[in-house]
């Protein structure tokens, strides 16, 4: 099973901290690699139009952000950058290669 996950968090997706599943905005499931890749490319195009910055790690992780989108963290007493991320999972594990 292939899943394309959209998260919104104050950290990049490749960290996959314990609470990462709580940051899920949407999740789409696909039965084939081709379907997942097609959907992911569509989402990446849309995110590229919406966000000024982008960083990619492996095949599994794409992080997008606008520098002005910050949220205050009371616990750490500072503003933190917000990242909108796409994660490609295969059977629950990040897809790092073809």
């Amino acid at each position: 099973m292939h899943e394309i996950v959209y998260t919104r968090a104050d950290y990049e997706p490749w960290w996959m901290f314990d609470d990462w599943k709580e940051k899920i905005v949407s999740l789409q499931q696909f039965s084939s690699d081709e379907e997942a890749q097609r959907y992911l490319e569509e989402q990446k195009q849309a995110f590229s139009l919406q966000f000024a910055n982008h960083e990619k790690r492996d095949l599994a992780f794409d992080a997008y952000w606008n520098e002005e989108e910050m949220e205050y963290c009371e616990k750490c007493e500072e503003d933190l950058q917000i990242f909108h991320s796409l994660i490609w999972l295969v059977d629950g594990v990040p897809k790092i290669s073809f």
Side-chain angles (χ1 to χ4, degrees):
M1 176 68 60
H2 296 267
E3 296 174 318
I4 304 299
V5 181
Y6 165 27
T7 62
R8 182 184 182 279
D10 58 7
Y11 54 84
E12 296 94 336
W14 41 86
W15 295 111
M16 294 189 90
F17 292 127
D18 290 340
D19 70 340
W20 80 270
K21 289 184 179 179
E22 296 170 19
K23 309 297 183 176
I24 293 175
V25 174
S26 68
L27 182 146
Q28 298 293 319
Q29 296 181 327
F30 303 91
S31 56
S32 75
D33 190 276
E34 294 81 16
E35 290 175 312
Q37 187 170 11
R38 187 170 29 255
Y39 177 80
L40 179 60
E41 289 305 318
E42 290 171 3
Q43 294 304 301
K44 287 166 62 173
Q45 284 183 352
F47 277 43
S48 292
L49 295 173
Q50 191 174 358
F51 303 103
N53 301 289
H54 173 238
E55 187 172 339
K56 181 171 189 54
R57 297 264 175 107
D58 300 315
L59 287 175
F61 305 106
D62 285 274
Y64 297 84
W65 70 98
N66 289 322
E67 304 245 346
E68 64 276 3
E69 187 178 6
M70 310 279 280
E71 287 187 1
Y72 186 74
C73 171
E74 290 185 31
K75 182 177 174 183
C76 46
E77 297 182 343
E78 67 180 309
D79 288 330
L80 300 177
Q81 182 66 59
I82 298 300
F83 296 93
H84 297 264
S85 303
L86 297 167
I87 306 170
W88 186 350
L89 302 174
V90 179
D91 298 327
V93 177
K95 181 177 176 83
I96 57 171
S97 66
F98 277 107

